[in-house]
Amino acid sequence: MNTTSTSRPRSGMSVLLATVLCLLAGTVSAAETSSLRTLGPPAPSKVRRVVTLAPSLSEMVLSLGAGSTLVGVSRFDEAKEVAKLPRVGGFTDPSVEAVIALKPDLLLVQPGPGNQRPVEKMAELGVPVLLLPLHSVADVLAAMRAVGKALGREKEAEAVVVGIEATRTRIREAAKKLPAPRVLFVYGFEPLVVAGPGSFADELLRDAGGINVAADASSAYPVYSVERVVRARATVVVDAADVDVGKDKLRALPGLSSARWVDLPSMSLLQPGPSLGRGLEELFRLLHPEGTGKAAP
């Protein structure tokens, strides 16, 4: 059994779990939330007070150098820059009262069925809302540009987008020169939840030169059967789960006991935001240890 030890802290359990649940919920309503939308009154030309309902959205604001506009964030935000800001709830249970009390000029939301009603209520009460789906890399880049436009930071947003696209191009070219491992990307062990086709990780696995063995699944974040996992013949298992319950049982299965197991070294790959490029580089190094060092892209 091969194992690679990495340093991603499991203390961020609630953030990761919430992120995955949010993505799962978002997948259900992808048809409804596949484009940028606004609710409520128009935002002022000069936005001074921003509230976000997801860490990825806070990261976007921070990456634009507009962190001083943040006046409230979700309870899942862990960035040190927002450590002292008021918390306004989570992805699926934002507090209408807490958001209204902060008198935001703009509320940034990753839409999903769980937050639809409270967000619509906030808009009815006069809060300008920008809904930003984050189901794909293209969504992330579009969201970056939209946040940049809303905050008058278009040039900064474009620089972030160009940087991400350059990283993707560089990683893809490097991956072409290396063998393609068969990868199982795991979000949870009991039940076994993996990255299926159309998921954020599936898209980045292809960028990094990996073959997603769960590409035959029926959804982006399926509960995968043990029988299918055994047949999948993964050579690398990426552990993105928050808890290890059920992990040893899976690792002992035929076909997985000889796979190389790796942990994500950070949350970069799990938060669809400006850290996407860094997360992709980390994934590349996990999949291609033979391509790091002197040959690293």
Side-chain angles (χ1 to χ4, degrees):
M1 182 183 300
N2 301 318
T3 304
T4 298
S5 297
T6 51
S7 59
R8 176 171 61 85
R10 300 268 171 167
S11 59
M13 292 169 57
S14 61
V15 178
L16 177 56
L17 178 59
T19 301
V20 173
L21 291 176
C22 182
L23 288 169
L24 286 165
T27 302
V28 172
S29 63
E32 300 175 7
T33 60
S34 59
S35 60
L36 303 173
R37 292 183 295 139
T38 60
L39 294 175
S45 57
K46 181 67 175 179
V47 173
R48 301 179 186 279
R49 299 178 65 82
V50 178
V51 172
T52 61
L53 297 188
S56 295
L57 300 175
S58 304
E59 284 188 7
M60 289 184 186
V61 176
L62 292 169
S63 72
L64 300 178
S68 62
T69 65
L70 286 170
V71 296
V73 297
S74 79
R75 66 171 175 272
F76 300 115
D77 280 69
E78 294 185 338
K80 63 180 185 302
E81 294 91 340
V82 302
K84 296 182 179 179
L85 292 180
R87 307 288 149 159
V88 297
F91 295 111
T92 59
D93 60 346
S95 168
V96 175
E97 294 77 12
V99 171
I100 296 297
L102 292 171
K103 301 178 179 178
D105 295 326
L106 183 63
L107 176 65
L108 301 181
V109 179
Q110 183 178 353
N115 62 31
Q116 181 177 348
R117 286 189 177 181
V119 169
E120 288 178 350
K121 183 64 176 178
M122 295 176 210
E124 292 172 3
L125 293 173
V127 176
V129 178
L130 180 55
L131 299 169
L132 302 158
L134 300 174
H135 301 297
S136 66
V137 175
D139 284 345
V140 172
L141 302 185
M144 280 297 316
R145 289 186 169 112
V147 174
K149 183 177 181 180
L151 301 183
R153 305 259 178 165
E154 291 96 333
K155 290 184 179 179
E156 290 87 345
E158 194 60 29
V160 174
V161 169
V162 169
I164 291 173
E165 290 179 331
T167 298
R168 294 187 77 193
T169 298
R170 177 164 48 83
I171 294 292
R172 285 169 176 164
E173 290 302 314
K176 289 179 181 177
K177 306 170 186 174
L178 298 168
R182 295 177 57 80
V183 184
L184 181 70
F185 196 104
V186 180
Y187 289 108
F189 295 102
E190 278 191 2
L192 178 60
V193 179
V194 303
S199 64
F200 199 71
D202 175 69
E203 194 171 6
L204 296 183
L205 280 174
R206 283 183 273 119
D207 280 349
I211 299 171
N212 184 3
V213 298
D216 62 343
S218 59
S219 65
Y221 301 94
V223 175
Y224 216 56
S225 73
V226 171
E227 290 76 15
R228 294 177 79 175
V229 166
V230 170
R231 290 197 303 267
R233 296 180 292 106
T235 56
V236 178
V237 178
V238 178
D239 176 5
D242 273 339
V243 294
D244 289 337
V245 176
K247 182 176 179 178
D248 288 343
K249 184 178 178 181
L250 190 72
R251 288 175 68 162
L253 291 174
L256 288 178
S257 60
S258 60
R260 184 166 57 86
W261 288 62
V262 296
D263 288 347
L264 293 179
S266 77
M267 301 295 293
S268 297
L269 198 66
L270 301 176
Q271 294 185 352
S275 63
L276 185 158
R278 184 168 65 251
L280 180 57
E281 290 182 297
E282 293 173 354
L283 182 62
F284 176 85
R285 288 193 287 271
L286 289 177
L287 300 189
H288 304 286
E290 75 280 15
T292 57
K294 292 182 179 179

